[in-house]
């Protein structure tokens, strides 16, 4: 080991540059792997690239490339000395040792800002930072693969493209996006929106930051005047023209003002450096200088004021969301800080990863990037062509290339970013290496990625927010990623804490692998660029994402099932003779689907009772039809149960009392006969449960072996037909029919809620500001369409039979057809109930201050926890999806308990 920090000649060097990465093919290190690390470190600090190069700050508040200038020079020296079988260790931006390893090992291993869990907070970090013991590495700052704002541009472009697809038919044309922060990362927002044809108002307190985006053509114009900014945006919106306006101002002032003025905002997000309340976010009422002064004088007071401003800021975002804007958190942890400081609803704003990015992660796709170490833009041109040659069918890549090539200035070394998935990354990397070898690319290329990637992060408020299995905070995965990339031979590998969401909130790993045209590089690339996204696919497969499991199967990524089962505490089944047949037998599959569907259906009928009760109340229905005496006179079990549920749902309702003397004798069937209809559904479910339970505990094989004397093995082997699916087929058909009725009567209640002739004084279509909004007109159409589809699917499959097997199997059940369409009926019914839930919650909001019953209020709050009141028309897809998930989880039905 060579101790580096004791090298006084190095420690005395404090030259602050400015530095630029060397260009060309001459190197000063002992090999290209080391030279690449050196150039990328210097490139991170190139004034064209870094936000504050004098302070070694690259981006993201305080994300640095080296701890201090002495350390920077020590790293440079070490890299120049480093042999092809040695590895340099960097601890929080300081070189701390060189060890002999081997020529396939990484040349540099970096760990930044890591703290033991209990101490993993900003206070402790700042204390250590003041002592000069640690450095904030952000993600690609301390791991030397930041490529300027372009790095984030593609990811931001991709996010806005996904958002446009989801909410606005594929384009942001004529839409206004409001956002804050145009720093190193946030600066990508204006161009990303205009590349998607939208209009954006980007607010930043620091004029120089906006000016920089204008100078590099990421933002069209700058102003300090809100009226002027709005006039420009309005005009562009009207004319369907893409435009980005940078407004100098504090988000906590400007956003509430936009709400006050009723400016129609279509999308709202934020990329101020809120993850770091001390250094990254300016409180209201302070100039930059005044903020700096308070930060020095009283850091605690600064944080108190900045988080209080975040509350104001996020409350304004929530108001915009309620008014119909698509709101999302863009990975700066502003929700957490605002929530802790008193904004209880902050997490009603969804995170961008679960909303838009996770499906990409499931295929191993993420922000793959490469840098031409020659400094020659023609090398990037060649790689652009290569990508288009290799992936002509990748629509987003082709679109991105068309939009990005020549559109904006490179910052520092020419670079390109493209989201590529598992398999494609290795293909691209190997092809680049080949072109370097052939001389078609003039010098080696550094191939890396952001830490924000498929298998490299644990970050519960960003990359791993709302994982399917709840494994959001498990940090084994990024550690495994770090180790795997080291074992696979990346050129340098890093492990960081904090990153974009701040101390205590994320752990993540990065890698860079250099294509220098050699065989050694080809092998490193093949291993790293497959394994690195491969672990991402495995991570998502393990969490239960079907798309990731399918990717793993299709791409041959081996995921030992035994390990996964052990982790999930599932005991592996060891099959006995002939047991395999049960895995492929159609009757077993029918039973499995039937049982799962039945369990979901049972939750749906409970939920339907809850919603029936709410509707009855909102439509001023009478509860006399649920009188116990009526139902005792016709005592079907299901009917009795639903009637009891409805009584409970209406018990103590102010709404009910408000019209007790109205004299109405009886309501329409969809209210009055809920016990009879839901009850019959319940009785059908009970019958199916009995069939499935009998089946699940039966011997269905053929032949059957009957042992009369186990000791002597005496008995009979008898052939029969126990495997026949008929008993199940009928039950599956009954289930579909009963569920269709449940959805059908629900749709009738929705109709009553929206139809002004039937809704007892509710606004037509439950629309706020009648005449201006269409409210629930279209959701009722959707419900009607789903109910209609159910009626087709409810046609019994078991009435059919087609002979097979040379007429031996001459009467079959068609139960599998019944089972597969049953699944669709379950989903449709859940969606119809979700529409009813949102509509009735809206109706109850209109009827305030009169309240429904205690149980009704519990149900109403559960709906409101995932879906705000509709204050003007908005895209409701997300609302319905969230309510459907709420229903599936059983939380809405809990109001009965
Ligand atoms: P940065 O520090 O370079 O820029 C932040 C900007 O916010 C600065 O220009 C600052 O002047 C401005 N700002 C601070 N307080 C403000 C206020 N109250 N009102 C208006 N402007 C204010 O940071 P960056 O590199 O642009 O990153 C921004 C945030 O996004 C960070 O929290 C970062 O961690 C996060 N991030 C997200 C992603 C992602 O993929 N979504 C990626 C990287 C970073």
């Amino acid at each position: 080991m060579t101790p580096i920090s004791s090298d006084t000649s190095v420690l005395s060097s404090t030259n602050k540059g400015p530095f630029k990465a060397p260009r060309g093919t001459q190197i000063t290190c002992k090999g290209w792997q080391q030279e690449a690390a050196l150039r990328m470190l210097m490139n991170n600090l190139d004034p064209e690239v870094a936000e504050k190069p004098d302070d070694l700050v690259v981006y993201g508040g305080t994300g640095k490339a080296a701890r201090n200038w002495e350390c920077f020079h020590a790293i440079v020296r070490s890299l120049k000395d480093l042999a092809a079988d040695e590895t340099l260790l960097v601890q929080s931006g300081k070189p701390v040792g060189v060890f002999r390893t081997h020529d396939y090992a990484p040349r540099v291993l970096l760990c930044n800002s890591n703290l033991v869990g209990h101490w993993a907070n900003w206070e402790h970090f700042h204390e250590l930072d003041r002592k000069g013991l640690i450095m904030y590495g952000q993600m690609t700052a301390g791991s030397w693969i930041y490529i300027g704002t372009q790095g984030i541009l593609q990811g931001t472009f991709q996010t806005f493209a996904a958002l446009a697809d989801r909410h606005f038919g594929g384009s942001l044309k004529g839409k206004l996006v409001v956002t804050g922060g145009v720093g190193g990362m946030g600066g990508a927002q204006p161009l990303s929106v205009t590349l998607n044809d939208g209009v954006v108002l980007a607010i930043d307190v620091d004029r120089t930051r906006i000016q920089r985006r204008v100078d590099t053509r990421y933002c069209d114009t700058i102003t300090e005047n809100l009226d002027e900014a709005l006039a420009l945006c309005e005009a562009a919106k009207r004319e369907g023209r893409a435009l980005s306006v940078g407004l100098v101002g504090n988000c906590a002032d400007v956003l509430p003002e936009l709400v006050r003025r009723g400016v129609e905002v279509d999308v709202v997000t934020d990329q101020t450096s809120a993850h770091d309340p001390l250094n990254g976010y300016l409180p209201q009422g302070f100039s930059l200088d005044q903020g700096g002064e308070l930060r020095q004088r009283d850091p605690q007071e600064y944080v108190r004021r900045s988080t209080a401003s975040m509350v104001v800021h996020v409350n304004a975002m929530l108001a915009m969301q309620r008014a119909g804007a698509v709101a999302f958190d863009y990975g700066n942890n502003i929700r957490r800080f605002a929530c802790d400081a008193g904004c209880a609803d902050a997490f009603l704003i969804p995170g961008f990863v679960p909303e838009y990015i996770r499906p990409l992660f499931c295929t191993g796709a993420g922000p793959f990037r490469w840098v031409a170490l020659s400094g020659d833009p023609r090398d990037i041109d060649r790689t652009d062509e290569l990508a288009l040659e290799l992936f002509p069918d990748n629509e987003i890549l082709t679109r991105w290339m068309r939009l990005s090539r020549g559109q904006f200035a490179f910052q520092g070394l020419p670079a390109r970013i493209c989201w590529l998935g598992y398999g494609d990354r290795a293909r691209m990397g190997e092809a680049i290496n080949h072109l370097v070898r052939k001389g078609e690319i003039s010098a080696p290329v550094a191939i890396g990625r952001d830490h924000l990637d498929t298998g490299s992060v644990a970050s519960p408020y960003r990359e791993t927010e709302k994982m399917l299995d709840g494994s959001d905070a498990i940090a084994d995965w990024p550690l495994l990623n770090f180790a795997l990339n080291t074992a696979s031979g990346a050129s340098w590998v890093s492990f960081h804490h904090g990153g974009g969401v701040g101390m205590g909130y994320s752990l993540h790993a990065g890698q860079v692998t250099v294509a220098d045209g050699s065989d050694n590089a080809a092998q490193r690339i093949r291993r790293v660029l497959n394994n690195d996204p491969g672990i991402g696919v495995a991570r998502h497969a393990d969490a239960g994402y079907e798309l990731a499991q399918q990717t793993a199967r299709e791409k041959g990524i081996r995921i030992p099932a035994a390990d996964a089962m052990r982790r999930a505490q599932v005991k592996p089944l060891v099959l006995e003779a002939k047991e395999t047949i049960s895995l492929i037998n159609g009757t077993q599959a029918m039973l499995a689907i039937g049982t799962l569907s039945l369990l979901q259906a049972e939750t749906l009928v409970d939920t339907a009772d809850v919603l029936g009760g709410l509707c009855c109340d909102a439509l001023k229905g009478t509860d006399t039809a649920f009188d116990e005496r009526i139902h005792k006179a016709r005592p079907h079990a299901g009917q009795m149960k639903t009637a009891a549920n409805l009584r409970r749902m209406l018990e103590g309702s102010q709404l009910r009392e408000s019209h007790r003397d109205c004299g109405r004798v009886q309501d329409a069937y969809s209210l009055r006969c809920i016990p009879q209809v839901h009850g019959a559904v319940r009785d059908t479910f009970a019958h199916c449960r009995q069939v499935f339970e009998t089946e699940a505990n039966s011997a269905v094989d053929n032949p059957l072996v009957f042992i009369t004397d186990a000791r002597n093995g005496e008995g009979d082997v008898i052939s029969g037909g126990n495997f026949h699916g008929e008993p199940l087929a009928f039950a599956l058909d009954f289930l579909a029919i009963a569920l269709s009725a449940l959805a059908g009567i629900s749709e009738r209640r929705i109709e009553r809620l929206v139809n002004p002739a039937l809704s007892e004084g509710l606004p037509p279509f439950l629309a706020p500001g009648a005449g201006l909004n269409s409210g629930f007109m279209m959701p009722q159409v959707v419900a009607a369409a789903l109910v209609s589809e159910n009626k087709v699917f409810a046609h019994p499959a078991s009435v059919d039979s087609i002979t097979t097997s040379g007429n031996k199997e001459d009467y079959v059940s068609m139960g599998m057809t019944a089972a597969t369409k049953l699944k669709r009926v379950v989903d449709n019914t859940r969606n119809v109930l979700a529409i009813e839930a949102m509509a009735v919650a809206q109706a109850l909001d209109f009827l305030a201050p009169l309240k429904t019953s205690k149980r009704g209020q519990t149900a109403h709050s559960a709906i409101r926890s995932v879906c705000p009141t509709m204050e003007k028309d908005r895209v409701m897809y997300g609302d319905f999806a969230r309510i459907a998930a709420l229903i599936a989880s059983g939380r809405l039905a809990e109001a009965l308990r």
Side-chain angles (χ1 to χ4, degrees), residues 589-600:
M590 290 176 216
L591 176 64
I593 294 174
T595 310
L596 289 172
S597 301
L598 175 66
L599 293 173
Q600 293 170 32

Side-chain angles (χ1 to χ4, degrees), residues 51-52 57-63 136 138-140 146 149 152 155-156 159 179-189 202-210 213 247-255 269-276 279-284 288 295 302 306 309-310 313 328-334 352-353 357 367 419 450 452 462-463 498-502:
E51 293 294 307
K52 296 178 195 160
V57 169
V58 184
Y59 77 97
T62 53
Y136 202 62
Q138 258 288 355
M139 287 192 150
T140 50
Y146 185 66
T149 308
I152 194 70
T156 313
T159 305
T179 187
V182 291
M185 290 282 158
Q189 298 179 101
I203 304 144
D204 199 299
V205 278
D206 187 344
R207 188 188 169 90
T208 62
R209 297 295 188 99
I210 304 180
R213 304 308 154 214
L247 172 69
V248 184
N250 191 311
C251 288
D253 296 327
V254 177
L255 266 76
T269 186
D270 180 59
Q271 276 212 357
T272 56
S273 269
H275 73 276
D276 182 350
N279 299 297
Y281 192 90
L282 190 76
Q284 281 176 291
L288 286 173
R295 187 181 295 124
Y302 186 99
S306 75
S309 296
M310 286 184 212
H313 183 166
F328 68 99
D329 171 292
Y330 213 167
N332 62 356
N333 214 7
I334 193 165
F352 77 108
V353 172
I357 304 293
W419 280 49
D450 194 355
L452 179 160
R462 211 165 88 173
E463 290 85 344
V501 283

Side-chain angles (χ1 to χ4, degrees), residues 10 26 165 238 240 276 330 342 424 476 490 511 634 812 833 888:
V10 169
Q26 296 303 312
D165 268 351
R238 233 181 4 257
D276 182 350
Y330 213 167
D424 292 347
D476 297 341
Q511 68 80 19
R634 195 195 192 191
V812 297
L833 292 179

